Amino acid sequence: MDLKVVGDPRQPREKITLLAVSFASGIAIGWWQGRPILWPWLVASLLGVAAAALVYRRSGRLALCFLVASTTAFGAAWLVLRLHYVAADDLAAWVGPGPRLVRMAGIAGGPPVRRQHAAGSMARFDYRPLVTYFPLRVRALIGRDGRPVSYRGTVLVRVDDTLGPLCGGDSVEVVGMLLAPNARLNPGEYDYWLHARSHGRAGLLIVASRELVTVRAASHGGVEAAFVRWRETLKLRAHAWLLADLPATDRMTRDALLAALLLGRRGPELEPLGKIVRRVGLAHFLAISGLHLGVLAGSLLLLLRSRGLRPWHGWLLLGVVAFYLLLVQIRMPILRAGLMTMGAGLALAAGRRLQVTGLVGLSAIILLLWRPAELLSAGFQLSFGVVLALVHLAPIVRRRWFGPPDLLAASSGEMAGQWLRSTAAAAWTAWAVATPITMYHWGVFWPLAALYSILALPLVAVILTAGYLKIILAVVLPSAGKLVGVPLSFAADVLIALLWALDAVPLSVLSVRFPPLVWSVGGLVWVITALGWGLFSGGRGHRLRWLSGAVLAVWLVGPMVTGRSWALRLDMLAVGNGSCFVVRSGGRTVLFDAGSSSDLDVGRKVIVPALRRLGVRSIDAAVISHPNLDHFSGLLEVADELVVRRVLVTEQFMRQARDAPDGPVAWLLDGLTRRFIPVVVVGAGESRAFGHATFQWLHPDPDEIFGEPNNGSMVIRIEAAGRSVLLCGDIQRQAMAGLLGNGAALAADILELPHHGSHHRQAEVFLRAVGPRVVMVSSGRNRWRRASALWHPWPVETVGLVTARDGACWVEVDREGSIRFGRFLGPPATLPRHSSP
């Protein structure tokens, strides 16, 4: 019996879909509740099941309502249970807040990968050797007496050395320092802790040398180790089969694209092209999903039916899809598509009719039971949201725009026209539904993405069909596989050229203000109603849709037009051992330092996402306090993503570049020149206005020479609304004594504690002379632990904001001079009002 796909939105929803929605709603409630609550939700879920059982015979509808309430309560409890509760033998329960020396045994989850110790534009100045990464499935921790204690979990192992032969599935014994996943400390920063908990990863294991790693072949590891090694070997062979005998010209980018499209492999070779794909809004093609499995399943069914194997096509489809899942890198879109396709295969094999909506709901429940936190990810929301839109809304848009499909089209031209109409309706529907989600997660709007999808889809379909065929032929008939490689390479080259051309089109991507969650949900509901009922359908609903759309537009654009209520805002980002302050006033933005020695790639990972989340689209001036790498290592990444109009440095900074032409300072200046960003020298006595704030440089004098670069740091006094801020960089004893001795205006309401909070007697004198009401310290955890053990308590009525403890911190001065402050890891507060010191 044929598979009947029911996609008409007029059909009643399946109960499984309603339960999936209620389960997802419960997970969302569990995430947004103030603190983890487990037992009340579990009790409520059990009571709901009991009530449904009692009323089932009397009223099926009432029983369904109780069951929906029960599923919602269970969803909230399930998220709390998975994120905040761990079993006694779970490795995550053993990991502490600080590093712990461990000896563990397990199975290598994949082959080792060698990388540079650091990334980013300044990575060339990290002279440490390459490091080796590999995942480890932990089986046991080994005590001092040599006895293993059973534990389960996974860790990412980083060996600060090269490794000998190691394959996925090999048994490994290793000694190193185990670190817990980093929690999110900044707005817009990726949540590594949530990712680790969702994927069952306990943390990062740092191993000093290869002598601390012992490897045994997979034959000693049992069935699990043998399966892991077989799968890793199969993945490597599939990669080799795909890329074998392709034309030799321009292979690196093409091979990376083919590996990503067909096998989900994303290496560093793909990154330049990957940036282009993301900029033009076509990243969904690189995520193996329903399109990829649809091409695979469609080609397979067409082949089987042409060979008279129709009775077996369901089982063969199930087997082929399961085998394909072994070859690819597993991510949420491919899991969703794989479950749906395998469900369709089972329905074909059993001769049953199947509703697509119910299949989507069932796959959502399975995936959320496995990883409930995935509901919060953009990948999950886009995957399921777009699929449901294509099932329910795309046919409506197709009929409204172009009429019903003509299933009796006779000529190839008519068939192509029908395909183009259906593709246009599907692309427009997917784009419209995805837009509120992408704006919420990434703060970007792709106005031409639907058109670009239509242009790229035929090429992607050809690449997928030819790629799957080449992998098969490379095994059974290599010479035929070589012939298929020619059109495969040609289609890939054309797609790359198309991506480059689309990237050059103006307005392909627009940065927008990050909308709040309520706006995104409202925008999604508005899009669904507009697509389902139309914008020009007439009647009261027509006017209501236009009015609600106008309200959403004003809500999004209004704050950008009306401006901010504060006169000055200072954001201190948590960058580890480094410094980055964002100063905003009157629509102007000044960046004071942008670097870290903890991670030279801090610009890409922390600063740029935080600036976007804060609504910063351009930098009027980037100020570099002094020529230490931990204060400017991320500036070039900021300049690549945002408009930087000028960079302000000291004469001492320029002198350092002349004295060390091969050093990081000279490299930074050369990078700014190549990006056409002017560099301006400033010094003590100068004053500049940015918005409502006045910046006055107190230090250093251009002609001064310092034995330590830190003493040549800028000291800037910022005044706005009758309040003052003192930014001090890394000044030390010599500079502090000079400022105290020359009668500089040091008194300020808000102080950046010099040199990341380093303690000495001169710093105490300097702090008392400034007399701040708010002290801000940008410091890494270890450095702050050492400093806080020496510092005396803050002066009376002084608030201490420390990035190592509080995450990113902010201080606002409103137009009346009131001071508010807040921490990323805590609630905001307001200082009591009194005059400035």
Side-chain angles (χ1 to χ4, degrees):
M1 184 180 294
D2 289 337
L3 171 68
K4 182 179 180 182
V5 177
V6 181
D8 193 329
R10 292 171 295 182
Q11 295 284 345
R13 288 190 173 184
E14 294 185 80
K15 295 178 181 178
I16 190 68
T17 305
L18 185 59
L19 294 180
V21 172
S22 61
F23 186 48
S25 301
I27 291 174
I29 293 172
W31 174 257
W32 289 108
Q33 64 187 356
R35 57 188 178 87
I37 301 174
L38 177 61
W39 290 108
W41 290 119
L42 287 177
V43 172
S45 178
L46 292 175
L47 290 177
V49 172
L54 289 175
V55 303
Y56 176 71
R57 294 184 178 275
R58 300 178 182 177
S59 173
R61 182 170 298 179
L62 183 60
L64 181 60
C65 292
F66 280 122
L67 193 59
V68 167
S70 173
T71 308
T72 302
F74 177 73
W78 185 244
L79 180 79
V80 173
L81 187 65
R82 290 298 304 271
L83 289 186
H84 300 283
Y85 289 81
V86 293
D89 64 342
D90 193 327
L91 189 61
W94 192 83
V95 178
R100 302 188 69 172
L101 180 63
V102 296
R103 179 184 177 192
M104 58 179 58
I107 298 172
V113 178
R114 296 190 67 190
R115 300 176 185 168
Q116 285 186 321
H117 205 291
S121 60
M122 294 293 165
R124 64 181 59 230
F125 300 104
D126 188 320
Y127 301 108
R128 292 173 292 182
L130 296 177
V131 295
T132 306
Y133 288 91
F134 67 91
L136 180 68
R137 300 182 181 183
V138 179
R139 286 179 166 180
L141 296 180
I142 302 175
R144 295 182 178 180
D145 57 359
R147 298 179 59 184
V149 179
S150 179
Y151 274 90
R152 59 183 175 85
T154 62
V155 295
L156 180 64
V157 180
R158 190 192 82 189
V159 184
D160 296 339
D161 203 344
T162 58
L163 276 183
L166 175 65
C167 299
D170 287 347
S171 296
V172 178
E173 188 175 303
V174 61
V175 178
M177 300 298 295
L178 183 60
L179 304 176
N182 291 329
R184 191 161 66 105
L185 299 177
N186 296 277
E189 185 180 4
Y190 188 74
D191 196 335
Y192 292 99
W193 179 87
L194 181 61
H195 175 87
R197 289 295 302 130
S198 177
H199 291 73
R201 179 172 292 173
L204 174 69
L205 184 70
I206 301 178
V207 182
S209 68
R210 58 186 171 189
E211 284 76 17
L212 300 175
V213 181
T214 304
V215 180
R216 293 195 301 269
S219 57
H220 300 282
V223 176
E224 180 186 5
F227 173 77
V228 171
R229 180 155 192 172
W230 172 77
R231 183 177 180 231
E232 291 300 321
T233 302
L234 189 64
K235 289 162 66 176
L236 291 174
R237 288 181 177 177
H239 185 252
W241 293 333
L242 173 64
L243 303 181
D245 299 321
L246 294 181
T249 56
D250 299 328
R251 288 204 56 167
M252 187 175 70
T253 302
R254 185 210 306 143
D255 289 358
L257 176 64
L258 292 176
L261 279 174
L262 289 146
L263 300 175
R265 296 170 64 101
R266 301 179 187 176
E269 300 84 2
L270 182 68
E271 188 56 28
L273 186 64
K275 290 182 178 179
I276 295 175
V277 172
R278 291 189 291 271
R279 278 199 298 266
V280 299
L282 298 180
H284 53 281
F285 284 130
L286 295 183
I288 298 181
S289 58
L291 169 64
H292 302 69
L293 286 184
V295 171
L296 176 63
S299 302
L300 178 65
L301 292 176
L302 185 63
L303 176 64
L304 294 177
R305 294 185 179 185
S306 67
R307 304 302 297 175
L309 298 175
R310 188 178 183 128
W312 297 94
H313 57 193
W315 295 111
L316 289 173
L317 176 62
L318 188 66
V320 169
V321 172
F323 184 76
Y324 181 62
L325 292 178
L326 294 175
L327 300 179
V328 301
Q329 301 292 330
I330 296 300
R331 293 182 176 88
M332 188 54 61
I334 185 61
L335 287 176
R336 188 266 310 158
L339 286 174
M340 291 184 62
T341 308
M342 293 173 71
L346 286 173
L348 282 171
R352 301 293 300 272
R353 295 186 177 185
L354 184 68
Q355 284 193 331
V356 175
T357 307
L359 191 56
V360 173
L362 180 61
S363 62
I365 290 176
I366 293 174
L367 293 177
L368 290 177
L369 284 172
W370 180 40
R371 292 178 179 173
E374 286 292 335
L375 177 69
L376 310 172
S377 69
F380 184 94
Q381 296 168 12
L382 289 170
S383 180
F384 282 90
V386 169
V387 167
L388 289 173
L390 292 176
V391 171
H392 291 288
L393 300 177
I396 299 176
V397 175
R398 170 62 163 87
R399 289 193 299 268
R400 182 180 297 121
W401 285 8
F402 308 111
D406 184 6
L407 303 179
L408 302 178
S411 65
S412 57
E414 292 176 350
M415 294 175 64
Q418 291 296 318
W419 174 87
L420 183 60
R421 293 183 182 95
S422 298
T423 301
W428 167 259
T429 303
W431 171 84
V433 170
T435 293
I437 301 174
T438 58
M439 291 175 64
Y440 174 76
H441 285 281
W442 300 307
V444 293
F445 174 58
W446 289 287
L448 304 177
L451 175 61
Y452 291 173
S453 295
I454 297 173
L455 295 176
L457 181 59
L459 290 170
V460 174
V462 170
I463 291 172
L464 293 176
T465 305
Y468 295 139
L469 182 60
K470 186 178 186 307
I471 293 175
I472 297 172
L473 291 177
V475 180
V476 299
L477 192 60
S479 58
K482 187 173 183 179
L483 292 177
V484 176
V486 175
L488 175 63
S489 300
F490 178 76
D493 291 338
V494 174
L495 179 59
I496 293 172
L498 175 64
L499 292 173
W500 279 98
L502 296 179
D503 190 43
V505 177
L507 302 180
S508 292
V509 58
L510 300 174
S511 295
V512 298
R513 168 178 172 254
F514 279 89
L517 178 62
V518 176
W519 186 96
S520 299
V521 173
L524 187 60
V525 172
W526 184 87
V527 166
I528 292 172
T529 57
L531 292 175
W533 284 272
L535 284 175
F536 304 98
S537 57
R540 183 178 301 175
H542 160 73
R543 292 191 293 271
L544 181 60
R545 283 189 291 276
W546 277 101
L547 178 62
S548 59
V551 170
L552 289 170
V554 172
W555 188 357
L556 181 67
V557 181
M560 294 186 290
V561 177
T562 58
R564 306 289 185 176
S565 60
W566 32 261
L568 177 71
R569 172 161 172 142
L570 182 66
D571 288 273
M572 176 176 60
L573 303 184
V575 293
N577 292 319
S579 177
C580 184
F581 290 82
V582 185
V583 186
R584 289 178 287 169
S585 177
R588 299 290 184 263
T589 302
V590 175
L591 191 66
F592 182 78
D593 287 336
S596 173
S597 61
S598 303
D599 186 355
L600 296 183
D601 200 20
V602 68
R604 180 184 64 87
K605 292 181 180 179
V606 175
I607 299 176
V608 170
L611 290 173
R612 291 195 182 281
R613 181 62 67 172
L614 292 172
V616 176
R617 298 292 174 259
S618 63
I619 307 294
D620 293 277
V623 181
I624 306 176
S625 63
H626 65 292
N628 275 4
L629 190 59
D630 60 329
H631 289 253
F632 62 83
S633 62
L635 184 57
L636 291 181
E637 281 75 18
V638 174
D640 287 335
E641 299 296 330
L642 302 172
V643 176
V644 178
R645 294 189 170 87
R646 66 184 66 85
V647 174
L648 308 183
V649 300
T650 63
E651 179 60 37
Q652 289 78 8
F653 192 93
M654 301 299 291
R655 189 180 300 133
Q656 175 71 21
R658 292 191 294 268
D659 293 342
D662 296 326
V665 175
W667 176 258
L668 172 69
L669 294 178
D670 180 67
L672 295 174
T673 301
R674 286 185 276 109
R675 291 164 174 81
F676 304 101
I677 300 175
V679 177
V680 181
V681 177
V682 294
E686 295 196 34
S687 179
R688 292 171 180 262
F690 294 96
H692 306 304
T694 302
F695 287 60
Q696 182 181 2
W697 273 259
L698 306 182
H699 183 79
D701 289 327
D703 298 331
E704 282 189 278
I705 298 177
F706 302 95
E708 294 182 352
N710 287 346
N711 282 310
S713 296
M714 290 184 186
V715 177
I716 305 176
R717 179 183 176 85
I718 306 172
E719 295 182 349
R723 298 293 179 178
S724 56
V725 179
L726 198 65
L727 299 178
C728 299
D730 279 1
I731 59 171
Q732 293 181 286
R733 293 175 178 84
Q734 179 185 355
M736 292 181 192
L739 288 166
L740 291 169
N742 63 15
L746 298 179
D749 300 282
I750 304 158
L751 169 69
E752 178 206 2
L753 199 61
H755 199 198
H756 314 287
S758 295
H759 175 268
H760 46 81
R761 184 61 57 84
Q762 190 69 58
E764 291 187 11
V765 175
F766 187 82
L767 177 62
R768 286 195 295 270
V770 176
R773 302 184 66 193
V774 178
V775 174
M776 308 182 77
V777 184
S778 178
S779 177
R781 292 180 181 177
N782 293 335
R783 175 179 237 161
W784 176 245
R785 287 193 189 103
R786 294 193 302 267
S788 60
L790 299 173
W791 271 107
H792 297 300
W794 305 115
V796 178
E797 293 189 359
T798 295
V799 175
L801 303 177
V802 184
T803 56
R805 181 192 64 203
D806 306 320
C809 304
W810 55 267
V811 180
E812 285 181 359
V813 179
D814 67 18
R815 301 183 189 279
E816 287 73 36
S818 296
I819 299 176
R820 297 180 67 246
F821 63 91
R823 306 170 174 91
F824 187 76
L825 302 180
T830 303
L831 287 177
R833 295 195 59 177
H834 60 70
S835 60
S836 301

